[in-house]
């Protein structure tokens, strides 16, 4: 399903949705980590924010219940360049998309996250 990221200044980024369906709003911030998306998603300091990951492939190791940082995700939304539907880590308990859906977090993939990062900087 198509998805749109609309910024307050009128800039639009188009992509595809994954995770939960719906709409969200919040402050768009970026994270440059190459690993640790699960810890970022469950970090309470991101409450109310929409996180853009600058590393291009996210979701490839899935979600592991032992590495969750808090009782639930606190972010409002999750933006990635490419969402991997295949989780290959042997510790994987669940895919990223289903984890976001289960926790009512909207994801958008196919966004040029580096261009987005430059724009919001």
């Amino acid at each position: 399903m198509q998805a749109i990221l609309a910024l307050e200044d009128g800039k639009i980024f188009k992509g595809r949705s994954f995770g939960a369906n719906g709409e969200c709003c919040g402050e768009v911030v970026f994270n440059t980590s190459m690993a640790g998306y699960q810890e970022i998603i469950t970090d309470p300091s991101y409450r109310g924010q929409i996180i853009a990951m600058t590393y291009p492939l996210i979701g490839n190791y899935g979600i592991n219940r032992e590495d969750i940082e808090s009782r639930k995700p606190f972010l409002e939304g999750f933006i990635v360049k490419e969402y991997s539907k295949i989780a290959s880590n042997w510790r994987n308990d669940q895919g990223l998309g289903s984890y976001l859906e289960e926790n009512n977090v909207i994801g958008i993939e196919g966004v040029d996250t580096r261009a987005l990062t430059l724009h919001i900087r």
Side-chain angles (χ1 to χ4, degrees):
M1 182 184 324
Q2 289 189 334
I4 296 172
L5 172 65
L7 301 180
E8 187 176 39
D9 67 0
K11 181 77 172 169
I12 302 288
F13 292 87
K14 295 181 179 180
R16 294 169 303 283
S17 68
F18 71 102
N21 291 320
E23 296 180 8
C24 69
C25 69
E27 176 187 22
V28 177
V29 298
F30 63 88
N31 189 294
T32 59
S33 297
M34 292 186 349
Y37 61 82
Q38 177 176 332
E39 290 81 3
I40 292 163
I41 289 169
T42 57
D43 183 340
S45 71
Y46 285 112
R47 180 172 171 69
Q49 296 179 323
I50 301 170
I51 302 169
M53 300 296 292
T54 59
Y55 190 76
L57 180 63
I58 302 295
N60 55 324
Y61 57 82
I63 297 293
N64 170 9
R65 299 274 179 214
E66 294 177 19
D67 293 338
I68 292 174
E69 298 284 313
S70 60
R71 69 184 186 280
K72 68 175 190 129
F74 286 88
L75 72 166
E76 291 296 318
F78 200 50
I79 307 164
V80 301
K81 170 68 177 164
E82 183 180 348
Y83 157 60
S84 176
K85 294 164 188 66
I86 299 170
S88 59
N89 188 302
W90 65 273
R91 296 175 65 219
N92 169 49
D93 294 317
Q94 183 176 18
L96 173 60
S98 64
Y99 180 74
L100 293 179
E101 183 176 20
E102 177 182 288
N103 287 281
N104 203 32
V105 175
I106 296 168
I108 181 172
E109 71 160 326
V111 172
D112 183 344
T113 55
R114 293 178 184 193
L116 171 61
T117 299
L118 289 173
H119 184 77
I120 63 176
R121 278 183 84 188

